[in-house]
Amino acid sequence: MAAARGEREHPFPRARWAALLWLLVWMPVYASVWGFANFLHLCDVAVILTCAGLWTGSALLLSSQAVSSLVTDLLWDIDAGSRLLAGRHVFGGTEYLWDPSFPLAVRLLSLFHVVWPALLLWSLGRVGYDRRGFPLQVALASVLLVGSRFAGPALNLNYAFRDPVFHRSFGPAPVHLAVSILGLAALIYLPAHLGLARLFPREQLSPSR
């Protein structure tokens, strides 16, 4: 009986409820201010899937979002920190934080980028790293970049029309998307995957996951 009870024990008994509460606050606020198209952003999908991973205890979901978020959130933090301390952006992408046309409280919700890497690393310390997270995240990013083309070039969601460095298209839509996906996979996701695979043991499979 004790063994069965241990198998049913959830790896995040309190964090799962905090994740649910965050989604109940964050999603309606973001939708009302930024619009539903905003949820095509890779970083916002990462929030939703991380919370789903915490709720279900899924090492696969948490691993895929660690692959997605660790490097990109670090770049976000560097850019926002540079603007705050030095008055200029390094990479861009955080300009909206200083746009007074948006409510300050809503802009402050974006500070989840600061804590998300630590949250994901902590969660993987409990459930382990699932190596399938890397191919899953590449597939998710591919779908989201294709979907971002339907939001139009003005929004340029996930840089599906123009790259973040030179602000140019790499060519026709299929070429630009292919280069963007390969760039994400090789420069962002693969280094995170290799680092996580060395840092954490493999996921601990159980009937609850």
Side-chain angles (χ1 to χ4, degrees):
M1 182 178 298
R5 186 167 56 249
E7 289 179 349
R8 292 195 300 269
E9 184 179 354
H10 197 282
F12 308 108
R14 288 180 289 275
R16 65 187 305 211
W17 292 104
L20 178 61
L21 179 61
W22 169 261
L23 286 182
L24 291 175
V25 173
W26 175 79
M27 288 189 70
V29 171
Y30 258 45
S32 66
V33 174
W34 310 115
F36 285 100
N38 192 76
F39 293 112
L40 286 172
H41 273 127
L42 286 163
C43 59
D44 292 336
V45 171
V47 171
I48 296 170
L49 293 184
T50 297
C51 290
L54 291 171
W55 181 258
T56 60
S58 170
L60 177 58
L61 282 179
L62 293 168
S63 298
S64 68
Q65 297 320 298
V67 166
S68 173
S69 299
L70 292 183
V71 175
T72 53
D73 280 348
L74 176 61
L75 295 177
W76 190 98
D77 295 342
I78 291 173
D79 191 75
S82 176
R83 173 61 176 82
L84 179 65
L85 299 175
R88 61 184 180 87
H89 297 279
V90 177
F91 311 108
T94 64
E95 292 85 356
Y96 68 95
L97 288 176
W98 284 266
D99 189 340
S101 64
F102 299 112
L104 176 60
V106 177
R107 287 179 278 151
L108 289 177
L109 286 178
S110 290
L111 293 178
F112 71 80
H113 289 279
V114 177
V115 302
W116 226 249
L119 173 65
L120 285 162
L121 291 174
W122 169 78
S123 69
L124 293 183
R126 295 184 65 86
V127 298
Y129 177 64
D130 190 329
R131 272 67 171 168
R132 298 172 299 168
F134 171 63
L136 174 59
Q137 182 54 33
V138 173
L140 286 171
S142 301
V143 171
L144 289 170
L145 261 72
V146 172
S148 297
R149 294 286 299 194
F150 294 95
L155 292 178
N156 194 33
L157 294 178
N158 297 315
Y159 306 107
F161 288 87
R162 299 175 302 280
D163 77 274
V165 178
F166 301 106
H167 309 291
R168 297 178 60 183
S169 173
F170 296 123
V175 175
H176 182 84
L177 290 172
V179 171
S180 298
I181 292 165
L182 289 173
L184 269 176
L187 301 177
I188 303 295
Y189 297 162
L190 183 59
H193 164 69
L194 294 175
L196 290 166
R198 290 179 62 87
L199 185 61
F200 293 103
R202 291 183 181 273
E203 73 284 4
Q204 302 297 316
L205 300 178
S206 74
S208 65
R209 294 174 209 142

